[in-house]
Amino acid sequence: MSDPQVEKEAGSAEPVQAPAPEPEKKKREYKDFGHDEEDKPSHAKVDMDQIQLKAEDLYDKEKVDLETIVVDDVFKLLQCDENGLTDEEALRRIELFGPNKLESEEQNAFLQFLSFMWNPLSWVMEAAALVAIALSNGESRPPDWEDFLGIVTLLLINSGIGFYEERNAGNAVKALMDSLAPKAKVKRANSWREIESSQLVPGDMISFKIGDIVPADCRLTESINVSIDQAALTGESLPQSKKLGDQCFSGSTCKQGEAEGVVISTGPNTFFGRAANLVGQDDDTTGHLQKILAQIGSFCLVVIGIFVLAEIFCLYAGFRYTYRRGLDNILVLLIGGIPIAMPTVLSVTLAVGAQQLAKYKAIVTRITAIEELAAVTILCSDKTGTLTTNKLTIDRDTVRTYGPFSPEDVILLAAYASRTENQDAIDQCVVGAIGDVTRARAGIKLLDFKPFNPVDKRTEITYREESSGKLKRVTKGMTGIIIELCTRNKTDDIENRLEADVEEFAQRGLRALAVAYEEVDGTDPEGEGNGFELIGLLAIFDPPREDTKQTIDDAMALGVKVKMVTGDQLAIAKETGRRLGLGDHMYPAKVLKDGPEPGSRFRTLDEMILDADGFAGVFPEHKYEIVKRLQALGHLCAMTGDGANDAPALSRANVGIAVEGATDAARSAADIVLTEPGLSTIVHAIRGSRIIFQRMRNYAIYACAVTIRIVVCFSILAFAFKFDFPPFMVLIIALLNDGTIMTLSVDRVLPSNEPDSWDLAEIFAYAVAYGLYLTLSTVALVAIAIRTTWFFDKFGVTFHGGAQQALDHNDPQLHTIVYLQVAIISQALIFVTRSHGFFFMERPSVALFAAFCLAQLVSSIIAAYGNWGFTKIEAVSGGWIGIVWVWDIVWFFPLDLIKFAMKATIIKYLRNRHLAAVAAQTAESGVPMTRTTSRAASVHESLYSNRVSFLRRAARKVGFGQKILMKPEELQRFSSIQAARTGSVLARHPSRPTA
């Protein structure tokens, strides 16, 4: 009913240039996806006089499908007309149907705070608090209030810091999303107005024009040359013509014309909403970092559990300790051995890292994705807009001429035959090639212009040349059409040259645009000309971004293999790969279904996928399959995408990256949202994530080593000397440690040049070595103090009451000495774990060093002035403080030697064993495997999964959330749960009386 479309078809049909097989093949390939024969409009299989519909009638597609029934029935079913809804009715419906936006569950702040106390490590501390307040109440002594308050304070401080940082990161993302709120033009009470699109309801009349985003699923009631780009939703590469009665999807873009329509679906019930909800993260998914946290936590809990049981048997059964005395010793292990700050330190490190990545225009929406990005081994990248500029350009070096015109003349004449306003992509690139847009109309008077249409597949201009007064005509378009038009100077030689040139362009992935010219006799613009003559062939391509080649080289230097995944033609993919240095081992997407051809060098599809530099003709389901297979081979995979149709692959990938300009649906499925085009942002993010990973790894080694150090040390002291260290002082050590360790989140570290992975065997090996060595340093000090008078003889220092040696094994001054010695050397260990060589060769951050100095100043002050009777410590002399500092310094320096010895022996053995296991599995399967111990699951991993999953479920039961969550299977049909409920309510409360 409307004229053929101009911008839409010109920009999209040009890829199908030549009569050669390649372009035609591409057209067929595009059409095969989502271009089935349209269903004819049907009538609803319900009594239209009975408007008081039941929900199952309105949303049962067997009876009525709002997407395909005739528009008149849509108006009846939705109880509206072309004058629009009244304000009162619109307000009533928004209460029934909810806002027209994707619901994002806002986390309750209080529950988010509590989530930091909901993991096994915190449970042990909480159990210790209960022991201190409840079980310690005996032997005519009051409950251990000091320890109880200390433990609770430690928990609150850790939770508070983690909550603050994570909340800040979340608010930054929310601000980004809020800034994208779109507007919609709606007809209410027979007058047009502009409102936020979130206020639209089913039954609203809306209007949109070229450049607008369709705000809701609608059926068109008026359509003037409408062309809609649905690529971001359906994967269709070509914009679609829309006529009266057709459906337009929310989130698609109007490329041409203007239209009015009636809204049939809003919010989560739109095609856009269903795609986003289908890939929404499930509450109970277990992230990669949670698995690691679970395994480290389990290691610490097992160590503590073994020694707690040993103390129970030894102290109670062997030494006949009283109830309270034994309990105090057990509390020391529980409080000191648990790395309570671990979830908080990792959360803070990731949150601070997310803010640092934001400087590179990468907004992190799931902060644990930073850790996974550091381990990514393969990056699957879009071509258009990421590797390339997404701006078609004339390749001046390959312009072919066939007549008396120069390449510059051909480009200028092609610009004459292009629009200068409301341009499609082809016209824009041709006019852009002449530099100054005004040159496209300079020196000529436009008499007639025929825009592109899908039948003629060309544009044509008739103009008067002002310098000579002659009428001339230029046409440009699809090569086969243009050569058929030409009648002048058309020889076999010209046609052979043209055919060879088009074939060369096709093989190189360049799109051909033919240009022809004729002169018109007389003054009639409609008059016949002297016959078109082929004058030139233009090559159009999407050039690589300036920084892409260097960025890909940088990625490969970081050990990340880049694979191109594009919906474009295979020839175009190969040409782009060659220009970028990616390689040209590109394969069509059909191999993912058919597998390697018989006789090829690949035995399996997995081998082919690993070898490939990229895939062409890819649809969203192919992206998903590629990611799935790479993950099955042990790779951690990152995937870029921009449309709602990419959401499943983005959600499946270890790290989903929504590129600049992506739709809200893609953003909701992605882990990282880029706000700047190009691949360089991703490589910056990879390098930044590896810095963050190194900080977390350094902390993990430190935390496990301190657990070994505390648990083994105080158990041995209790077994050997019946030494009862005060639980409260362990709390002080933990508190000062946590305050210092938080600064690791901004520590100065170097990123690795290979993908990182959590080799937990290495971490635990280092931890055991460091922990046992530090244990030895404390046991030696206590043994000398108890068994000899060496310290008195050499330095003249005494214990409580002037004793020359600690004959009382629980001398309060000995407690203070042990406290200071443990506090100093345990915290100093971080300088060894954070460095790869000697500790003094890698300068720490100012924050870390200052925090360490401050913590040790506090520890020394406590040792000098801490006469705290309730916790059995007594101030010591300055001589003792100096002795402990010198003792710790002497014991500190060999820690580096232990590190080097471990690397040369046990760590080397573990790595060789790992490589041997990979080689064995590769030999067995024939496919190189990248086995990372980090991908191993833990029996306790679910206890860490999205720490708040349990709390969220509890919140819904007590009414905190008040939001309906829909399962994917319930959203796969148009009759979603929410739509059914709102339709039922609308039927019970009709806007007009039933017939």
Side-chain angles (χ1 to χ4, degrees):
M1 60 166 279
S2 59
D3 292 336
Q5 285 64 40
V6 184
E7 276 76 3
K8 182 261 315 185
E9 295 292 353
S12 55
E14 289 297 351
V16 199
Q17 293 293 327
E22 284 286 340
E24 290 299 328
K25 190 173 181 179
K26 178 162 173 70
K27 179 180 178 183
R28 287 197 298 274
E29 182 177 327
Y30 275 139
K31 190 169 182 180
D32 284 344
F33 186 76
H35 283 74
D36 299 330
E37 287 294 318
E38 295 182 3
D39 295 330
K40 295 182 178 179
S42 59
H43 288 275
K45 299 176 182 178
V46 294
D47 186 351
M48 296 309 298
D49 294 328
Q50 299 292 327
I51 283 303
Q52 194 168 0
L53 293 170
K54 297 178 181 178
E56 54 268 26
D57 290 337
L58 185 57
Y59 293 105
D60 188 344
K61 282 196 171 185
E62 293 300 320
K63 296 182 179 179
V64 52
D65 185 351
L66 292 177
E67 299 173 6
T68 59
I69 63 171
V70 295
V71 176
D72 288 344
D73 283 0
V74 172
F75 279 120
K76 290 181 182 180
L77 285 166
L78 297 180
Q79 305 174 24
C80 60
D81 55 40
E82 293 188 351
N83 294 324
L85 303 173
T86 63
D87 291 334
E88 295 78 15
E89 177 64 12
L91 186 63
R92 187 180 76 91
R93 291 193 181 196
I94 204 166
E95 292 176 356
L96 298 176
F97 289 89
N100 177 38
K101 61 182 180 181
L102 301 183
E103 285 293 340
S104 57
E105 185 175 357
E106 291 188 15
Q107 202 170 326
N108 182 279
F110 178 64
L111 295 178
Q112 187 178 4
F113 175 76
L114 291 181
S115 72
F116 284 90
M117 301 186 198
W118 191 259
N119 58 71
L121 297 179
S122 295
W123 294 343
V124 175
M125 289 297 283
E126 289 152 12
L130 291 176
V131 168
I133 194 68
L135 299 183
S136 293
N137 194 7
E139 300 181 2
S140 302
R141 290 167 58 188
D144 196 346
W145 287 106
E146 296 85 2
D147 287 346
F148 172 76
L149 292 175
I151 294 169
V152 171
T153 301
L154 192 61
L155 283 167
L156 291 177
I157 289 174
N158 278 295
S159 298
I161 294 172
F163 168 76
Y164 174 77
E165 292 292 350
E166 200 168 279
R167 196 77 175 170
N168 276 356
N171 289 341
V173 175
K174 188 174 185 297
L176 171 74
M177 297 306 182
D178 289 346
S179 68
L180 303 172
K183 302 285 185 181
K185 191 174 181 183
V186 65
K187 195 176 192 179
R188 294 269 174 88
N190 206 24
S191 65
W192 290 99
R193 66 186 77 166
E194 188 175 66
I195 63 172
E196 286 192 6
S197 63
S198 61
Q199 300 301 307
L200 290 178
V201 294
D204 263 330
M205 293 296 298
I206 58 172
S207 169
F208 52 87
K209 60 184 184 305
I210 182 172
D212 290 347
I213 294 176
V214 180
D217 284 7
C218 63
R219 295 286 299 278
L220 298 186
T221 56
E222 284 191 29
S223 172
I224 304 173
N225 292 343
V226 174
S227 165
I228 300 292
D229 181 1
Q230 300 176 164
L233 298 171
T234 64
E236 294 164 309
S237 301
L238 296 173
Q240 301 299 301
S241 306
K242 296 292 182 181
K243 59 185 185 297
L244 179 69
D246 283 351
Q247 183 184 21
C248 291
F249 294 128
S250 167
S252 55
T253 305
C254 181
K255 287 295 187 183
Q256 179 188 342
E258 26 184 288
E260 293 179 14
V262 56
V263 174
I264 61 172
S265 294
T266 59
N269 297 314
T270 61
F271 183 94
F272 182 99
R274 281 177 283 163
N277 277 289
L278 280 169
V279 298
Q281 292 182 348
D282 189 271
D283 274 350
D284 294 321
T285 54
T286 302
H288 190 245
L289 184 61
Q290 279 77 22
K291 293 179 181 179
I292 303 308
L293 188 62
Q295 292 177 81
I296 294 174
S298 299
F299 171 80
C300 296
L301 291 175
V302 168
V303 171
I304 293 167
I306 291 171
F307 282 91
V308 165
L309 288 174
E311 283 205 347
I312 289 173
F313 285 108
C314 185
L315 301 186
Y316 286 118
F319 298 160
R320 297 293 189 269
Y321 270 24
T322 62
Y323 173 69
R324 283 294 293 270
R325 186 180 178 188
L327 204 59
D328 285 346
N329 276 276
I330 291 171
L331 272 178
V332 168
L333 304 192
L334 293 179
I335 297 169
I338 290 292
I340 182 60
M342 182 176 286
T344 302
V345 170
L346 297 185
S347 291
V348 170
T349 302
L350 291 170
V352 170
Q355 293 173 356
Q356 292 170 344
L357 290 181
K359 296 176 184 176
Y360 296 117
K361 309 298 183 185
I363 306 297
V364 180
T365 59
R366 180 175 66 89
I367 63 172
T368 54
I370 296 173
E371 176 266 341
E372 296 185 38
L373 185 60
V376 161
T377 53
I378 292 178
L379 169 63
C380 297
S381 174
D382 273 340
K383 176 183 74 70
T384 308
T386 304
L387 299 177
T388 63
T389 60
N390 196 21
K391 292 180 181 177
L392 294 180
T393 304
I394 300 293
D395 191 349
R396 292 177 177 274
D397 296 335
T398 56
V399 175
R400 303 287 191 264
T401 58
Y402 306 97
F405 295 93
S406 68
E408 290 299 320
D409 291 335
V410 172
I411 293 174
L412 181 61
L413 289 171
Y416 287 169
S418 304
R419 284 194 167 194
T420 56
E421 297 177 354
N422 294 333
Q423 298 167 311
D424 59 38
I426 299 296
D427 285 351
Q428 191 173 23
C429 89
V430 173
V431 173
I434 62 173
D436 186 0
V437 179
T438 58
R439 288 185 60 202
R441 293 294 180 263
I444 66 171
K445 179 177 176 58
L446 175 64
L447 301 177
D448 183 47
F449 187 89
K450 294 179 181 178
F452 181 92
N453 69 70
V455 176
D456 294 333
K457 293 183 172 58
R458 65 186 180 93
T459 63
E460 180 181 291
I461 184 175
T462 305
Y463 62 92
R464 177 178 287 111
E465 193 173 57
E466 292 180 350
S467 59
S468 63
K470 290 183 178 179
L471 263 61
K472 298 183 178 181
R473 188 174 290 141
V474 178
T475 183
K476 69 171 179 25
M478 181 177 169
T479 312
I481 299 294
I482 299 300
I483 193 63
E484 286 298 319
L485 277 178
C486 294
T487 56
R488 189 159 51 94
N489 296 331
K490 180 180 177 181
T491 64
D492 287 341
D493 180 56
I494 291 288
E495 289 196 72
N496 290 337
R497 283 176 54 199
L498 176 66
E499 185 176 358
D501 289 338
V502 170
E503 185 175 348
E504 179 194 344
F505 284 4
Q507 289 175 350
R508 294 180 55 190
L510 304 174
R511 300 171 180 178
L513 187 70
V515 185
Y517 159 91
E518 71 174 355
E519 296 185 353
V520 181
D521 297 327
T523 58
D524 181 11
E526 301 290 332
E528 290 288 331
N530 65 344
F532 278 111
E533 176 184 1
L534 180 70
I535 61 171
L537 191 69
L538 303 180
I540 297 176
F541 75 115
D542 181 9
R545 302 178 63 83
E546 291 182 1
D547 63 344
T548 299
K549 190 175 189 313
Q550 182 60 46
T551 301
I552 290 175
D553 292 342
D554 291 344
M556 290 181 174
L558 290 172
V560 178
K561 167 77 172 173
V562 180
K563 293 182 184 290
M564 182 196 305
V565 180
T566 178
D568 228 326
Q569 285 182 321
L570 183 60
I572 296 173
K574 286 187 174 183
E575 177 71 10
T576 305
R578 281 192 289 266
R579 294 189 184 215
L580 292 174
L582 265 180
D584 58 2
H585 287 186
M586 307 281 179
Y587 302 102
K590 68 176 184 179
V591 302
L592 297 171
K593 180 180 179 181
D594 301 339
E597 294 181 0
S600 73
R601 60 193 179 96
F602 302 113
R603 289 184 296 171
T604 64
L605 178 57
D606 287 339
E607 279 188 51
M608 177 178 277
I609 290 176
L610 277 179
D611 174 78
D613 297 316
F615 294 90
V618 167
F619 292 138
E621 57 270 29
H622 299 139
K623 284 188 174 185
Y624 188 91
E625 180 68 17
I626 291 168
V627 171
K628 186 177 176 182
R629 284 185 172 272
L630 288 173
Q631 288 176 331
L633 294 173
H635 287 277
L636 266 69
C637 191
M639 171 67 78
T640 67
D642 59 1
N645 59 345
D646 292 328
L650 292 177
S651 184
R652 171 78 192 194
N654 298 92
V655 182
I657 302 170
V659 297
E660 191 264 345
T663 62
D664 280 351
R667 287 191 183 102
S668 70
D671 306 309
I672 296 176
V673 178
L674 304 184
T675 58
E676 194 174 81
L679 193 67
S680 60
T681 306
I682 301 174
V683 175
H684 281 309
I686 290 174
R687 192 175 284 111
S689 68
R690 291 191 184 174
I691 290 174
I692 296 161
F693 182 93
Q694 287 300 318
R695 293 169 181 159
M696 293 192 295
R697 181 180 179 275
N698 295 342
Y699 171 72
I701 295 175
Y702 169 82
C704 293
V706 169
T707 293
I708 297 285
R709 187 259 193 286
I710 296 288
V711 172
V712 177
C713 173
F714 288 113
S715 295
I716 289 176
L717 290 178
F719 299 156
F721 304 110
K722 297 186 179 178
F723 181 81
D724 305 330
F725 192 71
F728 187 80
M729 297 317 294
V730 172
L731 268 176
I732 299 297
I733 293 173
L735 195 58
L736 291 176
N737 272 0
D738 292 353
T740 301
I741 295 306
M742 291 296 174
T743 59
L744 270 181
S745 61
V746 292
D747 189 25
R748 183 186 288 108
V749 295
L750 294 174
S752 64
N753 290 325
E754 294 294 330
D756 289 310
S757 64
W758 288 97
D759 197 327
L760 294 179
E762 287 187 19
I763 290 175
F764 296 153
Y766 276 124
V768 170
Y770 293 145
L772 293 179
Y773 177 79
L774 294 183
T775 294
L776 184 61
S777 73
T778 306
V779 172
L781 177 68
V782 174
I784 293 172
I786 290 177
R787 302 294 190 196
T788 74
T789 60
W790 188 78
F791 289 114
F792 174 77
D793 296 339
K794 295 292 184 183
F795 309 106
V797 291
T798 60
F799 293 95
H800 178 70
Q804 296 179 10
Q805 66 184 95
L807 296 175
D808 178 3
H809 293 188
N810 286 299
D811 186 303
Q813 287 195 2
L814 182 59
H815 287 165
T816 304
I817 293 167
V818 171
Y819 157 74
L820 185 60
Q821 193 272 336
V822 170
I824 293 172
I825 199 167
S826 295
Q827 204 168 96
L829 176 65
I830 191 62
F831 297 113
V832 175
T833 63
R834 65 173 295 280
S835 60
H836 297 282
F838 287 104
F839 75 93
F840 51 80
M841 299 295 289
E842 297 180 30
R843 183 163 56 95
S845 66
V846 174
L848 176 61
F849 188 71
F852 170 79
C853 293
L854 180 62
Q856 299 323 310
L857 177 62
V858 172
S859 293
S860 298
I861 290 173
I862 290 174
Y865 301 102
N867 289 301
W868 300 341
F870 70 88
T871 191
K872 300 174 188 172
I873 68 167
E874 186 177 296
V876 295
S877 65
W880 267 119
I881 294 174
I883 289 170
V884 171
W885 269 99
V886 171
W887 180 272
D888 280 347
I889 290 171
V890 170
W891 280 84
F892 175 77
F893 281 99
L895 279 168
D896 273 335
L897 302 179
I898 291 175
K899 175 170 60 183
F900 299 145
M902 289 290 295
K903 283 183 178 179
T905 55
I906 295 177
I907 302 303
K908 183 179 180 180
Y909 165 74
L910 290 173
R911 290 180 178 174
N912 288 338
R913 189 181 68 174
H914 174 77
L915 292 174
V918 172
Q921 190 158 357
T922 301
E924 181 182 341
S925 64
V927 181
M929 303 288 288
T930 304
R931 294 179 64 252
T932 56
T933 53
S934 59
R935 296 193 60 77
S938 163
V939 293
H940 301 301
E941 67 192 30
S942 60
L943 301 177
Y944 291 87
S945 68
N946 287 342
R947 293 181 312 266
V948 292
S949 59
F950 171 84
L951 294 170
R952 280 180 180 167
R953 290 193 293 271
R956 291 188 203 112
K957 290 180 181 177
V958 298
F960 271 121
Q962 298 302 335
K963 287 189 179 162
I964 299 171
L965 292 182
M966 291 169 278
K967 295 181 180 179
E969 58 267 22
E970 293 169 334
L971 279 164
Q972 287 174 355
R973 300 185 63 229
F974 188 75
S975 54
S976 69
I977 296 298
Q978 183 170 349
R981 289 178 178 171
T982 51
S984 173
V985 174
L986 185 61
R988 290 197 301 272
H989 303 87
S991 55
R992 60 178 187 266
T994 57

